[in-house]
Amino acid sequence: MIPVTTGRFIRAVRRSGMQVHVWVVNDEPSMRRLLDQGVDALVSDEAQLLSRVLQDYPR
Protein backbone atom coordinates (compact mmCIF):
# COMPACT_ATOMS: atom_id res chain seq x y z
CA MET A 1 0.00 0.00 0.00
CA ILE A 2 1.24 3.50 -0.83
CA PRO A 3 0.07 6.08 1.71
CA VAL A 4 -1.33 9.00 -0.24
CA THR A 5 -3.38 10.77 2.40
CA THR A 6 -0.55 11.99 4.57
CA GLY A 7 -0.84 15.19 6.54
CA ARG A 8 1.64 16.82 4.16
CA PHE A 9 -0.43 15.83 1.11
CA ILE A 10 -3.68 17.06 2.66
CA ARG A 11 -2.14 20.43 3.58
CA ALA A 12 -0.74 20.85 0.06
CA VAL A 13 -4.09 20.07 -1.56
CA ARG A 14 -5.88 22.47 0.76
CA ARG A 15 -3.37 25.26 0.04
CA SER A 16 -4.17 24.88 -3.64
CA GLY A 17 -7.86 25.45 -2.92
CA MET A 18 -9.05 21.89 -3.42
CA GLN A 19 -10.64 19.31 -1.14
CA VAL A 20 -9.54 15.80 -0.22
CA HIS A 21 -12.19 13.08 -0.61
CA VAL A 22 -11.23 9.52 0.30
CA TRP A 23 -13.06 6.34 -0.63
CA VAL A 24 -13.77 3.44 0.16
CA VAL A 25 -12.97 3.47 3.89
CA ASN A 26 -14.67 0.64 5.76
CA ASP A 27 -12.87 0.39 9.09
CA GLU A 28 -13.14 2.65 12.10
CA PRO A 29 -9.42 3.21 12.78
CA SER A 30 -8.86 4.42 9.21
CA MET A 31 -11.94 6.65 9.35
CA ARG A 32 -10.74 8.27 12.56
CA ARG A 33 -7.17 8.68 11.30
CA LEU A 34 -8.32 10.34 8.08
CA LEU A 35 -10.72 12.64 9.90
CA ASP A 36 -7.97 13.58 12.35
CA GLN A 37 -5.75 14.41 9.37
CA GLY A 38 -8.42 16.76 8.04
CA VAL A 39 -9.93 15.08 4.98
CA ASP A 40 -13.04 16.81 3.65
CA ALA A 41 -15.10 13.72 2.81
CA LEU A 42 -15.17 9.97 3.33
CA VAL A 43 -17.06 7.40 1.30
CA SER A 44 -17.78 4.03 2.88
CA ASP A 45 -19.73 0.83 2.31
CA GLU A 46 -20.31 0.86 6.09
CA ALA A 47 -22.78 3.75 6.38
CA GLN A 48 -23.83 3.02 9.95
CA LEU A 49 -20.24 2.81 11.15
CA LEU A 50 -19.28 6.03 9.36
CA SER A 51 -22.33 7.79 10.80
CA ARG A 52 -21.36 6.71 14.32
CA VAL A 53 -17.76 7.84 13.83
CA LEU A 54 -18.81 11.21 12.40
CA GLN A 55 -20.96 11.90 15.48
CA ASP A 56 -17.73 12.19 17.48
CA TYR A 57 -16.29 14.95 15.30
CA PRO A 58 -17.07 18.67 15.47
CA ARG A 59 -18.59 20.31 12.43
Side-chain angles (χ1 to χ4, degrees):
M1 178 167 85
I2 300 171
V4 175
T5 52
T6 63
R8 181 178 174 192
F9 172 81
I10 293 168
R11 288 188 300 275
V13 170
R14 288 257 178 95
R15 278 193 304 270
S16 67
M18 295 185 292
Q19 294 184 344
V20 177
H21 296 200
V22 181
W23 68 97
V24 170
V25 183
N26 290 328
D27 65 279
E28 185 171 346
S30 294
M31 290 175 182
R32 292 187 181 280
R33 178 180 52 79
L34 290 163
L35 290 168
D36 288 344
Q37 287 180 322
V39 300
D40 297 290
L42 291 176
V43 176
S44 177
D45 294 325
E46 301 295 333
Q48 289 180 330
L49 173 61
L50 179 55
S51 178
R52 193 172 70 241
V53 169
L54 288 172
Q55 289 176 5
D56 293 342
Y57 285 86
R59 298 183 192 262

Coordinates of all heavy atoms in Angstrom, one line a residue:
M1 N 0.8 -1.2 0.0 CA 0.0 0.0 0.0 C 0.9 1.2 0.0 O 1.9 1.3 0.7 CB -0.9 0.0 1.2 CG -1.8 1.2 1.3 SD -3.1 1.1 2.5 CE -2.3 1.6 4.0
I2 N 0.5 2.2 -0.8 CA 1.2 3.5 -0.8 C 0.4 4.5 -0.1 O -0.7 4.8 -0.6 CB 1.5 3.9 -2.3 CG1 2.3 2.9 -3.0 CG2 2.2 5.3 -2.3 CD1 2.5 3.1 -4.5
P3 N 0.9 5.1 1.0 CA 0.1 6.1 1.7 C 0.0 7.4 0.9 O 1.0 8.0 0.7 CB 0.8 6.2 3.0 CG 2.2 5.8 2.8 CD 2.1 4.8 1.7
V4 N -1.2 7.8 0.5 CA -1.3 9.0 -0.2 C -1.8 10.1 0.7 O -1.4 11.3 0.5 CB -2.3 8.8 -1.4 CG1 -2.6 10.1 -2.1 CG2 -1.7 7.7 -2.4
T5 N -2.7 9.8 1.6 CA -3.4 10.8 2.4 C -2.6 11.1 3.6 O -3.0 10.8 4.8 CB -4.8 10.3 2.8 OG1 -4.7 9.0 3.3 CG2 -5.7 10.4 1.6
T6 N -1.4 11.6 3.4 CA -0.6 12.0 4.6 C -0.9 13.4 4.9 O -1.6 14.1 4.1 CB 0.9 12.0 4.2 OG1 1.1 12.9 3.1 CG2 1.4 10.6 3.7
G7 N -0.6 13.8 6.1 CA -0.8 15.2 6.5 C -0.2 16.2 5.6 O -0.9 17.2 5.2
R8 N 1.0 15.9 5.1 CA 1.6 16.8 4.2 C 0.8 16.9 2.9 O 0.7 18.0 2.3 CB 3.0 16.3 3.9 CG 3.8 17.1 3.0 CD 5.2 16.5 2.8 NE 5.9 17.3 1.8 CZ 7.0 16.9 1.3 NH1 7.6 15.8 1.6 NH2 7.6 17.6 0.3
F9 N 0.4 15.8 2.3 CA -0.4 15.8 1.1 C -1.7 16.6 1.3 O -2.1 17.5 0.5 CB -0.8 14.4 0.7 CG -1.7 14.3 -0.5 CD1 -1.3 14.5 -1.8 CD2 -3.1 14.0 -0.2 CE1 -2.2 14.4 -2.8 CE2 -4.0 14.0 -1.3 CZ -3.5 14.1 -2.6
I10 N -2.4 16.4 2.4 CA -3.7 17.1 2.7 C -3.5 18.6 2.8 O -4.2 19.4 2.2 CB -4.4 16.5 3.9 CG1 -4.8 15.0 3.6 CG2 -5.6 17.3 4.3 CD1 -5.2 14.3 4.9
R11 N -2.4 19.0 3.5 CA -2.1 20.4 3.6 C -1.8 21.0 2.2 O -2.3 22.1 1.9 CB -1.0 20.7 4.5 CG -1.4 20.4 6.0 CD -0.3 20.9 7.0 NE 1.0 20.1 6.8 CZ 1.3 18.9 7.3 NH1 0.4 18.3 8.0 NH2 2.5 18.4 7.1
A12 N -1.1 20.3 1.4 CA -0.7 20.9 0.1 C -2.0 21.0 -0.8 O -2.1 22.0 -1.5 CB 0.3 19.9 -0.6
V13 N -2.9 20.0 -0.8 CA -4.1 20.1 -1.6 C -4.9 21.2 -1.1 O -5.5 22.0 -1.9 CB -4.9 18.7 -1.5 CG1 -6.2 18.9 -2.1 CG2 -4.1 17.6 -2.1
R14 N -5.1 21.4 0.2 CA -5.9 22.5 0.8 C -5.3 23.8 0.4 O -6.1 24.8 0.1 CB -5.9 22.3 2.3 CG -6.8 21.2 2.7 CD -8.0 21.8 3.2 NE -9.1 21.1 3.7 CZ -9.4 20.9 4.9 NH1 -8.5 21.1 5.9 NH2 -10.6 20.4 5.2
R15 N -4.0 24.0 0.4 CA -3.4 25.3 0.0 C -3.7 25.6 -1.4 O -3.7 26.8 -1.8 CB -1.9 25.2 0.2 CG -1.4 25.5 1.7 CD 0.1 25.7 1.8 NE 0.9 24.6 1.2 CZ 1.3 23.6 1.9 NH1 1.1 23.5 3.1 NH2 2.0 22.7 1.3
S16 N -3.9 24.6 -2.2 CA -4.2 24.9 -3.6 C -5.7 25.1 -3.9 O -6.1 25.2 -5.0 CB -3.7 23.7 -4.5 OG -4.4 22.6 -4.3
G17 N -6.4 25.1 -2.8 CA -7.9 25.4 -2.9 C -8.8 24.3 -3.2 O -9.9 24.5 -3.6
M18 N -8.2 23.1 -3.1 CA -9.1 21.9 -3.4 C -9.4 21.1 -2.1 O -8.9 21.5 -1.1 CB -8.3 21.0 -4.4 CG -8.1 21.6 -5.7 SD -7.3 20.5 -6.9 CE -5.7 20.3 -6.3
Q19 N -10.3 20.2 -2.3 CA -10.6 19.3 -1.1 C -10.1 17.9 -1.3 O -9.8 17.5 -2.4 CB -12.2 19.2 -1.0 CG -12.8 20.5 -0.7 CD -14.3 20.3 -0.5 OE1 -14.9 19.3 -0.9 NE2 -14.9 21.3 0.1
V20 N -10.0 17.2 -0.2 CA -9.5 15.8 -0.2 C -10.7 14.9 0.1 O -11.3 15.0 1.2 CB -8.4 15.6 0.8 CG1 -8.0 14.1 0.8 CG2 -7.2 16.5 0.4
H21 N -11.1 14.1 -0.8 CA -12.2 13.1 -0.6 C -11.6 11.7 -0.7 O -10.8 11.4 -1.7 CB -13.3 13.2 -1.7 CG -14.0 14.5 -1.6 ND1 -15.2 14.7 -2.2 CD2 -13.6 15.7 -1.1 CE1 -15.6 16.0 -2.0 NE2 -14.6 16.6 -1.3
V22 N -11.8 10.8 0.3 CA -11.2 9.5 0.3 C -12.3 8.5 0.3 O -13.3 8.6 1.0 CB -10.4 9.3 1.6 CG1 -9.7 8.0 1.6 CG2 -9.4 10.4 1.7
W23 N -12.1 7.5 -0.6 CA -13.1 6.3 -0.6 C -12.3 5.1 -0.9 O -11.2 5.1 -1.4 CB -14.1 6.6 -1.7 CG -13.6 6.6 -3.1 CD1 -13.7 5.6 -4.0 CD2 -13.0 7.7 -3.8 NE1 -13.1 5.9 -5.2 CE2 -12.7 7.2 -5.1 CE3 -12.6 9.0 -3.5 CZ2 -12.0 8.0 -6.0 CZ3 -12.0 9.8 -4.4 CH2 -11.7 9.3 -5.7
V24 N -12.7 4.0 -0.7 CA -13.8 3.4 0.2 C -13.1 3.1 1.5 O -12.2 2.3 1.5 CB -14.4 2.2 -0.5 CG1 -15.3 1.4 0.4 CG2 -15.1 2.5 -1.8
V25 N -13.5 3.7 2.6 CA -13.0 3.5 3.9 C -14.0 2.7 4.7 O -15.1 3.3 5.0 CB -12.6 4.8 4.6 CG1 -11.9 4.6 5.9 CG2 -11.7 5.7 3.6
N26 N -13.7 1.5 5.1 CA -14.7 0.6 5.8 C -14.3 0.2 7.2 O -15.0 -0.6 7.8 CB -14.9 -0.6 4.9 CG -15.7 -0.3 3.6 OD1 -16.5 0.6 3.6 ND2 -15.4 -1.0 2.6
D27 N -13.2 0.8 7.7 CA -12.9 0.4 9.1 C -12.7 1.6 9.9 O -12.3 2.7 9.5 CB -11.6 -0.5 9.1 CG -10.4 0.3 8.7 OD1 -10.2 0.4 7.4 OD2 -9.6 0.8 9.5
E28 N -13.1 1.5 11.2 CA -13.1 2.6 12.1 C -11.8 3.3 12.3 O -11.7 4.5 12.3 CB -13.8 2.2 13.4 CG -14.0 3.4 14.4 CD -14.8 3.0 15.6 OE1 -15.4 2.0 15.6 OE2 -14.7 3.8 16.6
P29 N -10.7 2.5 12.6 CA -9.4 3.2 12.8 C -9.0 4.1 11.6 O -8.5 5.2 11.8 CB -8.4 2.1 13.0 CG -9.3 0.9 13.5 CD -10.6 1.1 12.8
S30 N -9.2 3.6 10.4 CA -8.9 4.4 9.2 C -9.7 5.7 9.1 O -9.3 6.7 8.8 CB -9.0 3.6 7.9 OG -8.0 2.6 7.9
M31 N -11.0 5.5 9.4 CA -11.9 6.7 9.4 C -11.5 7.7 10.3 O -11.4 8.9 10.0 CB -13.4 6.2 9.7 CG -14.0 5.4 8.7 SD -15.7 4.8 9.3 CE -16.2 3.8 8.0
R32 N -11.2 7.3 11.5 CA -10.7 8.3 12.6 C -9.4 8.9 12.2 O -9.2 10.1 12.3 CB -10.7 7.6 13.9 CG -12.0 7.2 14.4 CD -12.0 6.7 15.9 NE -13.3 6.3 16.3 CZ -14.2 7.2 16.7 NH1 -14.0 8.4 16.7 NH2 -15.4 6.7 17.1
R33 N -8.5 8.1 11.7 CA -7.2 8.7 11.3 C -7.3 9.7 10.2 O -6.8 10.8 10.3 CB -6.3 7.6 10.8 CG -4.9 8.0 10.4 CD -4.0 6.9 9.9 NE -4.6 6.0 8.9 CZ -4.7 6.3 7.6 NH1 -4.2 7.4 7.1 NH2 -5.3 5.5 6.8
L34 N -8.1 9.4 9.2 CA -8.3 10.3 8.1 C -9.0 11.6 8.5 O -8.7 12.7 8.1 CB -9.1 9.6 7.0 CG -8.3 8.6 6.2 CD1 -9.2 7.7 5.4 CD2 -7.2 9.2 5.3
L35 N -10.0 11.5 9.4 CA -10.7 12.6 9.9 C -9.8 13.5 10.7 O -9.8 14.7 10.6 CB -11.9 12.2 10.7 CG -13.1 11.7 9.9 CD1 -14.1 11.0 10.8 CD2 -13.7 12.7 9.0
D36 N -9.0 12.8 11.5 CA -8.0 13.6 12.3 C -7.0 14.3 11.5 O -6.5 15.4 11.8 CB -7.2 12.6 13.3 CG -8.1 12.1 14.4 OD1 -9.1 12.7 14.7 OD2 -7.6 11.1 15.1
Q37 N -6.7 13.8 10.3 CA -5.7 14.4 9.4 C -6.4 15.6 8.6 O -5.7 16.4 8.0 CB -5.2 13.4 8.4 CG -4.2 12.4 8.9 CD -3.7 11.4 7.9 OE1 -4.5 11.0 7.0 NE2 -2.5 11.1 8.0
G38 N -7.7 15.6 8.6 CA -8.4 16.8 8.0 C -9.0 16.5 6.7 O -9.2 17.5 5.9
V39 N -9.3 15.3 6.3 CA -9.9 15.1 5.0 C -11.3 15.8 5.0 O -11.9 16.0 6.0 CB -10.1 13.6 4.6 CG1 -8.7 12.9 4.5 CG2 -11.0 12.8 5.5
D40 N -11.8 16.1 3.8 CA -13.0 16.8 3.7 C -14.2 15.9 3.5 O -15.4 16.3 3.8 CB -13.0 17.7 2.4 CG -11.9 18.8 2.6 OD1 -12.1 19.7 3.5 OD2 -10.9 18.7 2.0
A41 N -14.0 14.7 3.0 CA -15.1 13.7 2.8 C -14.6 12.3 2.8 O -13.5 12.0 2.4 CB -15.8 14.0 1.5
L42 N -15.4 11.4 3.3 CA -15.2 10.0 3.3 C -16.3 9.3 2.7 O -17.5 9.6 2.9 CB -15.1 9.4 4.8 CG -13.9 9.8 5.6 CD1 -14.0 9.2 7.0 CD2 -12.6 9.4 4.9
V43 N -16.0 8.3 1.9 CA -17.1 7.4 1.3 C -16.8 6.0 1.9 O -15.7 5.5 1.9 CB -17.0 7.4 -0.2 CG1 -17.9 6.4 -0.8 CG2 -17.2 8.8 -0.8
S44 N -17.9 5.3 2.3 CA -17.8 4.0 2.9 C -18.9 3.1 2.5 O -20.1 3.6 2.3 CB -17.7 4.2 4.4 OG -17.7 2.9 5.0
D45 N -18.7 1.8 2.5 CA -19.7 0.8 2.3 C -20.4 0.6 3.7 O -21.5 -0.1 3.7 CB -19.2 -0.5 1.8 CG -18.6 -0.4 0.4 OD1 -19.2 0.3 -0.4 OD2 -17.6 -1.1 0.1
E46 N -19.8 1.1 4.7 CA -20.3 0.9 6.1 C -20.9 2.2 6.6 O -20.4 2.9 7.4 CB -19.2 0.4 7.0 CG -18.5 -0.9 6.6 CD -19.4 -2.1 6.6 OE1 -20.4 -2.1 7.4 OE2 -19.2 -3.0 5.8
A47 N -22.1 2.5 6.1 CA -22.8 3.8 6.4 C -23.1 3.9 7.9 O -22.9 5.0 8.4 CB -24.1 3.9 5.6
Q48 N -23.5 2.9 8.5 CA -23.8 3.0 10.0 C -22.6 3.3 10.8 O -22.6 4.1 11.7 CB -24.6 1.8 10.5 CG -26.0 1.7 9.9 CD -26.7 0.5 10.4 OE1 -26.1 -0.6 10.7 NE2 -28.0 0.6 10.6
L49 N -21.5 2.6 10.5 CA -20.2 2.8 11.2 C -19.7 4.2 10.9 O -19.4 4.9 11.8 CB -19.2 1.8 10.7 CG -17.8 2.0 11.2 CD1 -17.7 1.9 12.7 CD2 -16.8 1.0 10.6
L50 N -19.7 4.7 9.7 CA -19.3 6.0 9.4 C -20.1 7.1 10.1 O -19.6 8.0 10.6 CB -19.3 6.3 7.9 CG -18.8 7.6 7.4 CD1 -17.5 8.0 7.9 CD2 -18.9 7.7 5.9
S51 N -21.4 6.9 10.1 CA -22.3 7.8 10.8 C -22.0 7.9 12.3 O -21.9 9.0 12.9 CB -23.8 7.3 10.6 OG -24.6 8.2 11.3
R52 N -21.7 6.7 12.9 CA -21.4 6.7 14.3 C -20.0 7.4 14.6 O -19.9 8.2 15.5 CB -21.3 5.3 14.8 CG -21.2 5.1 16.3 CD -21.4 3.7 16.8 NE -20.2 2.9 16.5 CZ -20.2 1.9 15.7 NH1 -21.3 1.4 15.1 NH2 -19.0 1.2 15.4
V53 N -19.1 7.2 13.7 CA -17.8 7.8 13.8 C -17.9 9.3 13.6 O -17.3 10.1 14.4 CB -16.7 7.2 12.8 CG1 -15.5 8.1 12.7 CG2 -16.4 5.8 13.2
L54 N -18.7 9.8 12.7 CA -18.8 11.2 12.4 C -19.5 11.9 13.6 O -19.3 13.1 13.7 CB -19.6 11.4 11.1 CG -18.8 11.1 9.8 CD1 -19.8 11.2 8.6 CD2 -17.7 12.0 9.7
Q55 N -20.3 11.3 14.3 CA -21.0 11.9 15.5 C -19.9 12.4 16.5 O -20.2 13.3 17.3 CB -22.0 10.9 16.1 CG -23.2 10.7 15.3 CD -24.1 9.7 15.9 OE1 -23.9 9.2 17.0 NE2 -25.1 9.3 15.1
D56 N -18.8 11.8 16.5 CA -17.7 12.2 17.5 C -16.9 13.4 17.1 O -16.1 13.9 17.8 CB -16.7 11.0 17.7 CG -17.3 9.8 18.3 OD1 -18.4 10.0 19.0 OD2 -16.7 8.8 18.2
Y57 N -17.1 13.9 15.8 CA -16.3 15.0 15.3 C -17.1 16.3 15.2 O -18.2 16.3 14.8 CB -15.7 14.6 13.9 CG -14.6 13.6 14.1 CD1 -14.9 12.2 14.2 CD2 -13.3 14.0 14.2 CE1 -13.8 11.3 14.4 CE2 -12.3 13.1 14.4 CZ -12.6 11.8 14.5 OH -11.5 10.9 14.7
P58 N -16.4 17.4 15.6 CA -17.1 18.7 15.5 C -17.3 19.1 14.0 O -16.6 18.6 13.1 CB -16.1 19.6 16.1 CG -14.8 18.9 16.1 CD -15.1 17.5 16.0
R59 N -18.3 19.8 13.8 CA -18.6 20.3 12.4 C -17.9 21.6 12.1 O -17.5 22.4 12.8 CB -20.1 20.5 12.3 CG -20.8 19.2 12.5 CD -22.3 19.3 12.2 NE -22.9 18.1 12.7 CZ -23.3 17.1 11.9 NH1 -23.0 17.2 10.6 NH2 -23.8 16.1 12.4

